[in-house]
Structures are given as structure tokens and as C-alpha cells.
Amino acid sequence: MYSHKYGSGSASASSYARSSSRAPSHARRTDSPPRASHVVAQHSSDAVEHDDHDQYADYRPEDRQRLTSYDAHPKWNTYGESPYAQVQDHSLYGRRGPEPKHVRQSNLGNCHMMASLAGVASDPNAIRNMVQEAEPGRYHVNLHDPETLRPVRVHVDDHLPTDMEPDFHRSRGKKVIWPQVAEQGYVKLHDARESVKRNRDTRERQTAGYGGIEGGTGIGAMHAFTGRRADYLPIRNMSDGELLHHLNKANTPGVAVLAGSNFDRTEGMKSGIETRHAYTVVGTRFSRSKNEYMVEVRNPHGGTQYPVLGTHGETVEMSLRRFRATFETVTTPIP
């Protein structure tokens, strides 16, 4: 297994991309290959309600308290203080409900996590089951433990670190915040799991917080968001058939597939794709006019502030041949 991790580093580092891509449009894929027969994300909220297992039993008492406290915020940086402020004029899902285009990575190097979240968002119901309003300004994030895959409900509120610098998608002038709510829930769960693994205290002064999810392969995030196992695979020696088998899974709503770009720019690499960065695989289709398979990907930064050459809407499409020259790995769900 490759040891590369995508998205590590701080806001000033060059180890994650600042380029744009947008939400997928599945309507134009009239000539797509058959959808993969793959089980999509479990409905975590249903599992939480009906599982007799104490969902917090695996964690230390202080972690249990933090997971169930709406105003226990994870640490933002290593500089001591982690100021938070309430997000003003916000909407949880937006007018049309959850969409992949709502996911916009901030100045945190967690492209692998945000790209996973955008993949799951291709099924709006998966997000509605994951992120739910408990009361005004307070939310339940229904996740799965990244190691055990057991359902865990994490409580968060509508406060974010003041220096996060997120680029919110806006719906009718309001900021859509479900991606940031899910992100904070994942950070709190990651801290709790690391506490168990490392047998360390996770009181605020000692937690890794947001910094703990910088850099990664996407496996932990996909486990947490879907409750399904995933694997991180190099593509260099894959046959076209095997690679398409993995990429085709993205044609099923709610199934996240990630592509990790080359660590260095190489000949034949698709223009506009940043190196050392995780992208969401939006889907595949067979182009009769070109007589080849095409692969569409999305940059988790999204938005229009990072223009990319060769985009279609907010995504980038390329031939399978060009995909091979551009990406080194895929993170894919496994049965």
C-alpha cells in the first residue's frame, strides 16, 4: 500500500491544491457504463436508534463528555487559543437540499476528508441522515467509528474557528453549513478514537483537533461517513478493466471514490489538476465520439476563486488514458 497522504500541511503550504471544480451533473451521462453493484452508505441515524450497543462505550469518560456536548469544540491550531464564533445568516442544507457543490475545503489540509464528503453527498438522503438539526444552532452528526464501524452520534453547534476561512456556498444569501458541521463532528470523533488508540487524554489542551485530520488517504473518512470498509490502492499496475471497476462505483449515488494526484507534475498530466491532492471521482462514461472511457473528477475546494483550465461546470473530465497520467492512487469502498 502506498504511504502517500494527500492534503497535509497548513494554509500557507503548497501540499494541497487551491484549484476549482464544481458540482457534478449526472444528467448528461446518458451513455455511462452500467452502475457498479455496491452497497451505499448506511443510514447512521437509523443504526444509532436501533443498536443495543452503547455507542460511547468504546471511549474514555472525558471523550464521551466531549462527543455528547454541543459546545465542546475541538482545538483549531497549535498556538494555544482556539477562538470560535457563531456563523451568522446560515442555512443547514440550502434551498434545494444537500449537494456536492456545497463542499468547499477551507485553509485546512484535509482534502481527503472533504473529497470523501462530496462523494457521499451525491445521495442527498445520505447527508440528511448524517447531519440533522437537534434544535436551533445545534446538530447531530451521525457517523461510524473509523476502526470498529459502529454508529456514533456526535453533537456539535453552529460555531466555527474564527480563522478557518471557509468559502461557504450560498443559498438565497444564506451560508450553507452542513459540510462544516460534518467536518467538526468528524474532528471530534477522530480525537476520541485517537485517545483510545494512543491511551492519551483528550482534554482540550492536549487534543490534536483539526490539525489531526490534515493529510490522509481518505480511508478513515470514508469509514466514518459510510460505515463501509475502504482501501487505498496504487493504480500504476492496474489493468484498465480493474481501474474502471473501482471508478465505476462513483456512478452510484452516495458512494465515494477518491483519486490522489501525482506527487510531481509529469508528462501527460491533465492541465489544471494540482499535485499532491485528493479529488472526488464524480463518475465515468463511455464516449462514443472518442471511442474511449471518460472520468470526471471534482476538486474539494470548489467555488470560483480557484479557476481551473479545462473545466466543465465545476468539474474536470478527462480520458482514462489521461487519468492514468494524472493520478497515482484511488481510495475505493470494498465489500
Side-chain angles (χ1 to χ4, degrees):
M1 178 178 291
Y2 268 28
S3 60
H4 293 335
K5 293 185 178 181
Y6 295 94
S8 60
S10 65
S12 61
S14 60
S15 56
Y16 62 93
R18 284 285 196 177
S19 52
S20 165
S21 38
R22 288 197 173 98
S25 173
H26 292 283
R28 66 190 180 86
R29 269 189 209 91
T30 57
D31 51 356
S32 298
R35 288 180 174 180
S37 56
H38 185 79
V39 179
V40 298
Q42 290 183 344
H43 288 173
S44 305
S45 58
D46 295 340
V48 167
E49 295 295 337
H50 296 98
D51 188 4
D52 292 334
H53 173 78
D54 178 359
Q55 58 182 305
Y56 306 108
D58 294 334
Y59 310 110
R60 295 155 58 108
E62 59 269 32
D63 299 321
R64 175 193 292 259
Q65 189 278 328
R66 292 177 62 79
L67 289 171
T68 57
S69 173
Y70 291 105
D71 56 0
H73 300 126
K75 184 178 178 182
W76 169 250
N77 57 40
T78 59
Y79 305 117
E81 295 185 358
S82 297
Y84 276 72
Q86 186 178 40
V87 182
Q88 301 298 313
D89 298 323
H90 66 265
S91 167
L92 181 58
Y93 299 136
R95 180 173 63 90
R96 299 178 59 181
E99 299 180 69
K101 69 180 180 182
H102 296 164
V103 177
R104 296 184 176 185
Q105 182 184 349
S106 67
N107 57 356
L108 186 70
N110 63 336
C111 55
H112 59 97
M113 192 227 91
M114 298 304 276
S116 300
L117 189 61
V120 175
S122 61
D123 177 5
N125 286 331
I127 299 301
R128 289 189 179 97
N129 279 282
M130 182 191 304
V131 182
Q132 300 175 331
E133 185 175 49
E135 58 185 83
R138 292 184 165 186
Y139 307 97
H140 296 150
V141 184
N142 298 306
L143 300 172
H144 298 82
D145 185 281
E147 297 290 332
T148 67
L149 302 186
R150 288 173 176 161
V152 183
R153 172 168 285 174
V154 185
H155 296 195
V156 304
D157 64 14
D158 57 1
H159 289 61
L160 293 179
T162 55
D163 55 355
M164 175 182 265
E165 299 179 11
D167 173 41
F168 294 102
H169 178 87
R170 291 180 179 268
S171 175
R172 292 183 173 175
K174 293 184 178 293
K175 301 170 184 175
V176 178
I177 66 168
W178 71 260
Q180 288 75 30
V181 171
E183 181 180 30
Q184 187 171 153
Y186 179 70
V187 173
K188 291 176 73 170
L189 180 59
H190 183 271
D191 266 345
R193 170 44 57 186
E194 288 297 296
S195 173
V196 175
K197 287 174 61 177
R198 302 173 186 271
N199 193 31
R200 64 178 175 84
D201 198 339
T202 55
R203 285 174 296 187
E204 188 164 357
R205 64 184 177 83
Q206 294 178 306
T207 55
Y210 279 89
I213 65 169
E214 289 199 295
T217 63
I219 290 178
M222 289 170 66
H223 287 178
F225 295 147
T226 70
R228 305 291 177 183
R229 293 290 179 192
D231 206 352
Y232 176 70
L233 305 170
I235 69 173
R236 178 177 300 174
N237 296 322
M238 281 187 188
S239 66
D240 285 353
E242 183 182 3
L243 179 55
L244 278 169
H245 168 72
H246 293 305
L247 298 177
N248 287 349
K249 296 173 185 177
N251 292 332
T252 300
V255 175
V257 178
L258 308 189
S261 60
N262 296 344
F263 260 49
D264 298 295
R265 185 157 290 278
T266 59
E267 183 178 356
M269 189 172 178
K270 177 69 175 178
S271 61
I273 298 293
E274 297 294 330
T275 58
R276 310 184 186 200
H277 192 45
Y279 286 73
T280 306
V281 178
V282 175
T284 62
R285 68 182 182 93
F286 183 76
S287 171
R288 291 187 175 87
S289 61
K290 296 180 179 180
N291 195 34
E292 59 184 336
Y293 281 95
M294 308 296 291
V295 185
E296 191 173 10
V297 299
R298 180 186 186 273
N299 188 327
H301 277 296
T304 58
Q305 74 277 39
Y306 306 116
V308 177
L309 180 64
T311 61
H312 179 90
E314 286 192 333
T315 63
V316 181
E317 188 177 59
M318 67 196 79
S319 67
L320 184 65
R321 171 182 50 81
R322 184 61 63 86
F323 181 90
R324 281 189 172 279
T326 306
F327 294 94
E328 296 183 350
T329 63
V330 291
T331 305
T332 176
I334 56 177

